[in-house]
Amino acid sequence: QVLLVESGGGLVQAGGSLRLSCVVSGRISTYAMGWFRQAPGKEREFVAAIRWSGGNTAYGDSVKGRFTISGDNAKNTVFLQMNSLQPEDTAVYYCAASARWQLLWITASNHYDYWGQGTQVTVSS
């Protein structure tokens, strides 16, 4: 089984920072990890992805330069450091795991096989 549990969400003022964590069980069966977010009434949006082997990363255009994805293999944990947060970043953030790394599809939700329950991030103006 593969289990993903997110944490670290909360309320922050515009310009502030948060760090999300995703603890993964069964990483041996996962090659890549991703973060997505979904705001009310909007489609799920790709945020960032990382490949366990080699550390390859990818970012959505809306978060480049502000968010950083990283992993701690020893702790089987993936992080999303979010800086310069803005109200439009408000959403439920989901951690996802994929059994493959395909660059052309890494931003698509159907590239991922497992999903966490989500953690709420709210940014006030």
Side-chain angles (χ1 to χ4, degrees):
Q1 298 183 17
V2 176
L3 179 64
L4 288 69
V5 180
E6 305 101 326
S7 63
L11 175 64
V12 65
Q13 294 188 12
S17 299
L18 286 173
R19 189 177 78 159
L20 306 183
S21 299
C22 176
V23 179
V24 182
S25 300
R27 186 173 63 87
I28 191 173
S29 299
T30 65
Y31 297 153
M33 303 295 301
W35 287 97
F36 289 77
R37 66 187 184 185
Q38 189 164 22
K42 295 185 178 180
E43 296 182 354
R44 188 174 299 174
E45 178 187 19
F46 172 75
V47 176
I50 186 169
R51 187 178 184 176
W52 284 116
S53 178
N56 308 66
T57 59
Y59 294 94
D61 290 340
S62 63
V63 305
K64 287 181 179 179
R66 298 189 298 123
F67 292 8
T68 302
I69 188 171
S70 61
D72 186 333
N73 291 343
K75 297 181 178 180
N76 292 329
T77 303
V78 175
F79 304 97
L80 183 68
Q81 179 66 46
M82 305 185 294
N83 298 326
S84 301
L85 285 163
Q86 301 298 315
E88 53 264 36
D89 295 315
T90 296
V92 176
Y93 284 70
Y94 296 93
C95 179
S98 175
R100 59 201 181 277
W101 175 273
Q102 295 176 271
L103 185 61
L104 293 178
W105 295 99
I106 202 67
T107 62
S109 61
N110 61 9
H111 183 78
Y112 298 85
D113 307 290
Y114 306 96
W115 295 82
Q117 82 288 347
T119 184
Q120 176 71 47
V121 172
T122 302
V123 185
S124 62
S125 60

